[in-house]
Amino acid sequence: MSGEREVVIAGSADVVGVRQLVRSVAVEIGLSLVDQTKIVTAASELARNALVYGGGGDVRIEIVTNGPRRGLKLIFTDEGPGIPDIEQALTDGWTTGGGMGLGLGGSRRLVDEFDLVSEPGKGTTVTVTKWSR
């Protein structure tokens, strides 16, 4: 994959597609099997969150570099209701949807860089990056 790719998340099949594309790019840039699994798991959780809580959205997938290191940067965006209390949302066990509440906090632990921007009524953007070792 050269450059970047954007994928619309409008249904559960799109979540599967995001997982497959992220795994493919992770292999391409040489992430270890453990790091592939971590970024794919985070991508799956974040795509599912965009679909379930944001009413759908999209993800931009980018290959990034930092000196000799290559990384995989994922930017998930939705135009849903937003997150009123980000710190609470990042707390393990917190959920508004009856799930396990591991999505955002768990995703943050699986990646090297994590940024979440959200405002009630204006949607959410989550940016994650996983670097090769």
Side-chain angles (χ1 to χ4, degrees):
M1 181 186 108
S2 59
E4 62 183 57
R5 180 136 175 224
E6 192 159 324
V7 178
V8 173
I9 303 166
S12 56
D14 298 322
V15 174
V16 174
V18 167
R19 285 180 61 92
Q20 292 170 340
L21 182 57
V22 168
R23 180 169 303 282
S24 173
V25 178
V27 168
E28 177 185 331
I29 67 167
L31 290 182
S32 69
L33 183 57
V34 169
D35 285 343
Q36 290 171 35
T37 302
K38 287 179 178 181
I39 191 69
V40 168
T41 301
S44 181
E45 289 292 328
L46 296 171
R48 184 184 157 286
N49 281 357
L51 179 63
V52 172
Y53 302 111
D58 58 67
V59 59
R60 192 165 72 235
I61 301 169
E62 303 175 5
I63 296 173
V64 292
T65 58
N66 182 0
R69 292 175 35 182
R70 297 178 85 194
L72 183 51
K73 182 177 189 175
L74 311 175
I75 304 165
F76 291 86
T77 306
D78 69 57
E79 295 180 3
I83 302 170
D85 186 338
I86 291 172
E87 285 308 311
Q88 182 182 36
L90 289 169
T91 302
D92 286 345
W94 184 82
T95 181
T96 60
M100 294 189 307
L102 299 175
L104 290 174
S107 294
R108 179 170 60 174
R109 285 190 304 279
L110 292 171
V111 297
D112 299 314
E113 298 173 17
F114 181 96
D115 183 59
L116 189 155
V117 177
S118 186
E119 189 175 333
K122 298 195 177 185
T124 301
T125 299
V126 181
T127 304
V128 297
T129 306
K130 190 71 179 169
W131 292 101
S132 61
R133 301 281 167 224

